[in-house]
Amino acid sequence: MKKRDPPPAAPARVISFRFTPATTAEDLRASVGGRPDGLVLECYGTGNAPVSRPGMLGTLRELSAAIPVLAITQCALGGVDLTRYAVGRELEAAGVIDGGDLTLEAATAKLGYLLDHGHRGEGLRAALRANLVGERTAGN
């Protein structure tokens, strides 16, 4: 990772949102009403979410176009693999970034740190997928 400009005076605001089967697109949209700089989605299993709910995929596409959206799992063991099942592939196609086996704390801290240091777009995606300091298992 190359050196970036010093972080801004105010750190990036990264929030998390926990999916449940009953979550609606309106719930997700309301969670980002305060305009955070990044979003960590707590999915179930290897990256499942209620994408069949009306408007959910459209909302995810809109959010991913505006801010980085990183998917992690709620499970105590394992991680997200957005290529494993159709729902994960839909999340990935909507612009959601695969968080592998990052914990909620590591995902929030890593996304905030990278945003603070000027990472955006594909550079941000690559840095989030990389194991920088032992926060993510290699190949996951």
Side-chain angles (χ1 to χ4, degrees):
M1 199 167 75
K2 63 182 177 179
K3 187 164 173 63
R4 302 285 178 161
D5 294 331
R13 290 182 43 251
V14 176
I15 64 167
S16 65
F17 182 84
R18 181 174 278 240
F19 275 129
T20 67
T23 299
T24 66
E26 292 79 21
D27 296 330
L28 181 57
R29 195 179 302 280
S31 76
V32 296
R35 300 189 186 268
D37 300 304
L39 176 65
V40 176
L41 292 178
E42 295 179 68
C43 299
Y44 28 94
T46 60
N48 292 303
V51 296
S52 64
R53 304 283 296 188
M56 185 63 75
L57 279 175
T59 298
L60 286 166
R61 272 193 285 290
E62 288 173 26
L63 290 177
S64 294
I67 61 174
V69 178
L70 181 64
I72 62 168
T73 186
Q74 297 174 27
C75 298
L77 299 173
V80 166
D81 178 357
L82 295 182
T83 64
R84 187 170 186 153
Y85 297 113
V87 170
R89 290 189 294 275
E90 288 180 292
L91 290 174
E92 191 170 50
V96 175
I97 304 164
D98 188 321
D101 64 348
L102 289 171
T103 63
L104 173 59
E105 296 81 7
T108 304
K110 185 174 187 175
L111 181 53
Y113 175 85
L114 292 171
L115 288 170
D116 284 348
H117 286 82
H119 292 267
R120 300 291 185 271
E122 283 306 312
L124 175 64
R125 285 177 172 278
L128 285 167
R129 287 190 290 254
N131 179 26
L132 303 177
V133 293
E135 77 286 1
R136 185 172 176 156
T137 304
N140 196 350

